[in-house]
Amino acid sequence: MKLPRIMLAGVSSGSGKTLLTCGLLEALKQKGYRAGAFKCGPDYIDPMFHRAVLETDSCNLDPWFCDGPMLRWLLGTKGSGADVCVLEGVMGYYDGLGGTSDRASAYEVARETNTPVILVVDARGMSKSLVPLVKGFADYRTDSGIVGVIFNRMNSHMYPLIRRMAEDELSGEGIRVLGYVPELSDTELPGRHLGLVLPEEVKNLKEKIQKLGAVMAETLDMEGILQAAESAASLEETLPDQVRLLRVLAEEEKRDRTPVRIGVAKDAAFCFLYPENLEVLAAFGAEPVFFSPLEDKTLPEGISGLLLCGGYPELHAGKLEGNAAMRAAVREALLQGMPCLAECGGFLYLQETLKTADGAGCQMAGVLKGEGFPAGRLVRFGYVRLSAEEENLYLSEGEEIRGHEFHYWDSTENGQVFAAHKASGRGSTRCMRQEKRILAGFPHLYYYSQPALAKRFIRLCREYEKERAYADSTDRRKRER
């Protein structure tokens, strides 16, 4: 399929990729284009900013979770209907596994999807040195895919000089200078320990992005950017093995296609969730019902399972503790056998207590023994290949699923059911707890990499649903007597 697309890639983290991606999306929207947004890598927060601009889901393109056909399938499926798609890179363009490989880098995504790349360079404090910097990135790989450069945080008076110098020396490389973005202090996005703050925490975010989009529409070569997007080769349309497997497994479940309602935590404390994971669950008959452990007092009616994703429970521990009714409802449901998938923040919520950054201990749901506490540093960071070390309800011994870890809080009881093998090959640790029908731990899982886990979760939910129906029927007959 023909899908106009470009990637904004950075020289390093902090080069302004997210801000410029949002600004470009807004500029395209202001000009009447339907834009699609994608994020390279496992990031949850940057896609939230894309969503805030476009008011539609952004999709992760992660080459550790997905092979080339799967990356192209996701891009083509999610991007269909868009006039142009914008992919935001991750870290530095060539930064991949373990910091020593370009495997799982933005470069790999660009290469596998044949996406033209525009390099975003933070120009603050630089002038002529910008040229060899861009040239070096373009020449580092013969298939770098870099077709243009945007200079970020550049003075408007300096830009014409740098542009002429860069065009003279880079035109032979096939690289166009596609504009600059001036330093705009009132459009900066603040950050915290897991990256940027959440979009809803940024005051006047929509107005900031609208202003940025208007500025970028004037300072960027929008026609040149669209030409670069149009130059993208057609996407190969091949059904990926991961999707084929999902469909085979879903076909086996057709004997029972009635929807099964799954409570999905979604609020400021629990917000790290891949839309693709919900798609996988839906293929097996799940119907997500969103609720807030912060605000709601009861679980949604008629649910037969719980999905507690990651987020920032440590920032809202006091309010989670104060919602005793919800903590009790979660505890009662899970102790009675309701299935639950809980990762990172959700895992912390299920434990007995959670310590905040200032050392205060807050009561959590108390379903699992253990205490969450601040480690004072990034803990077990990076991609992992999770293998079941023993037979359990979710994976057979030896089966694997892929995921990643990124957290500053740790637990006194991390579990032993899975082995988390570092993608870089540098060792492994034990993790994950499987108790009753609960599977909980710090790793964020990607269900397309092992749809059998999602299938078994939904089967357990159906078992629970039947048990509750039988118990309710028995109670009703007793009352009638």
Side-chain angles (χ1 to χ4, degrees), residues 195-211:
L196 296 174
V197 300
L198 302 182
E200 56 267 28
E201 298 177 75
V202 180
K203 187 177 181 180
N204 301 322
L205 175 63
K206 190 171 289 290
E207 290 81 357
K208 288 184 176 184
I209 298 301
Q210 287 173 347
K211 175 182 177 181

Side-chain angles (χ1 to χ4, degrees), residues 137-323:
F137 265 76
D139 290 347
Y140 184 66
R141 290 284 187 267
T142 56
D143 59 351
S144 72
I146 297 173
V147 299
V149 59
I150 293 172
F151 296 118
N152 188 28
R153 299 206 299 176
M154 176 169 275
N155 186 293
S156 60
H157 300 296
M158 179 66 71
Y159 176 67
L161 302 173
I162 298 298
R163 183 189 64 201
R164 284 195 297 270
M165 184 167 43
E167 286 175 342
D168 288 344
E169 300 200 40
L170 297 175
S171 58
E173 306 282 339
I175 298 173
R176 298 175 62 179
V177 179
L178 295 169
Y180 75 102
V181 180
E183 188 162 15
L184 301 169
S185 59
D186 56 348
T187 63
E188 292 180 355
L189 301 177
R192 64 159 66 96
H193 56 280
L194 293 184
L196 296 174
V197 300
L198 302 182
E200 56 267 28
E201 298 177 75
V202 180
K203 187 177 181 180
N204 301 322
L205 175 63
K206 190 171 289 290
E207 290 81 357
K208 288 184 176 184
I209 298 301
Q210 287 173 347
K211 175 182 177 181
L212 178 62
V215 170
M216 289 176 64
E218 296 297 322
T219 63
L220 297 186
D221 179 359
M222 295 297 293
E223 182 179 350
I225 290 172
L226 290 168
Q227 287 174 355
E230 288 286 350
S231 73
S234 296
L235 275 175
E236 172 191 339
E237 294 187 87
T238 303
L239 190 66
D241 289 341
Q242 288 166 294
V243 178
R244 198 185 308 276
L245 175 59
L246 172 63
R247 292 180 180 178
V248 169
L249 293 175
E251 185 72 21
E252 295 172 357
E253 297 298 293
K254 277 194 172 179
R255 65 183 183 276
D256 188 356
R257 296 302 296 164
T258 57
V260 55
R261 287 165 61 86
I262 306 297
V264 180
K266 188 176 183 181
D267 55 24
F270 304 97
C271 51
F272 295 170
L273 178 64
Y274 294 122
E276 301 87 75
N277 280 357
L278 293 183
E279 292 173 9
V280 173
L281 292 175
F284 295 114
E287 178 185 313
V289 184
F290 297 104
F291 74 101
S292 170
L294 283 171
E295 305 294 342
D296 296 331
K297 300 302 179 185
T298 60
L299 291 171
E301 290 187 10
I303 63 171
S304 299
L306 273 182
L307 185 59
L308 301 175
C309 61
Y312 286 112
E314 66 271 18
L315 301 181
H316 303 274
K319 190 169 184 179
L320 290 169
E321 179 183 50
N323 193 351

Side-chain angles (χ1 to χ4, degrees), residues 84-111:
V84 59
C85 291
V86 180
L87 286 62
E88 180 188 343
V90 58
M91 298 189 293
Y93 184 46
Y94 295 107
D95 295 334
L97 297 182
T100 60
S101 167
D102 56 30
R103 173 77 176 89
S105 64
Y107 158 71
E108 184 176 6
V109 176
R111 187 190 65 210

